[in-house]
Amino acid sequence: MSLAPNPFNLSGGVVKAAAAAAPVANPVSAPQAPTAPIDVLKNKLDEMGINSSGLQFTETRTAVGYPGGFYVNHLITVDFGAGVTESYDVASTLRNPLLTALEIDRLRRSRA
């Protein structure tokens, strides 16, 4: 039995798969991105050059009941000082931390 010529191999032989690359002895891994909501938000503030050292961050989960069930409010509350606080939804913050960081910056600037 004869093999049909391989149109991709000009020598007419059987094409062999390339050998797999040898594993790297000491792979360098990228630093892990933070997953805690407050850390994600603080990192975004730092990237934007916004000083968050004067702000207090608190993560809360509150069960809210209603007839037939309940849901959980998962929030990051930021205390700006002088009795000014604002709460941000964790799911929205994790989806796009830039929006929350911009809102924090807007509120911080409006108090200056």
Side-chain angles (χ1 to χ4, degrees):
M1 175 175 182
S2 166
L3 294 175
N6 185 339
F8 302 106
N9 185 349
L10 298 177
S11 67
V14 176
V15 176
K16 294 184 179 180
V24 178
N26 290 323
V28 177
S29 60
Q32 293 295 324
T35 57
I38 290 175
D39 293 338
V40 169
L41 183 54
K42 283 184 174 182
N43 280 356
K44 182 53 74 176
L45 289 167
D46 290 343
E47 283 177 21
M48 296 173 62
I50 299 169
N51 184 1
S52 62
S53 63
L55 306 175
Q56 298 292 324
F57 295 82
T58 308
E59 181 181 356
T60 59
R61 287 182 176 90
T62 306
V64 179
Y66 62 90
F70 73 96
Y71 61 93
V72 176
N73 274 339
H74 189 188
L75 304 171
I76 296 174
T77 301
V78 181
D79 185 343
F80 293 85
V84 178
T85 62
E86 188 70 27
S87 295
Y88 304 96
D89 180 65
V90 168
S92 297
T93 297
L94 292 175
R95 191 174 309 117
N96 192 344
L98 175 62
L99 292 178
T100 305
L102 288 171
E103 184 59 21
I104 289 171
D105 189 44
R106 183 202 60 80
L107 185 56
R108 186 183 58 83
R109 287 175 189 242
S110 71
R111 295 190 57 249

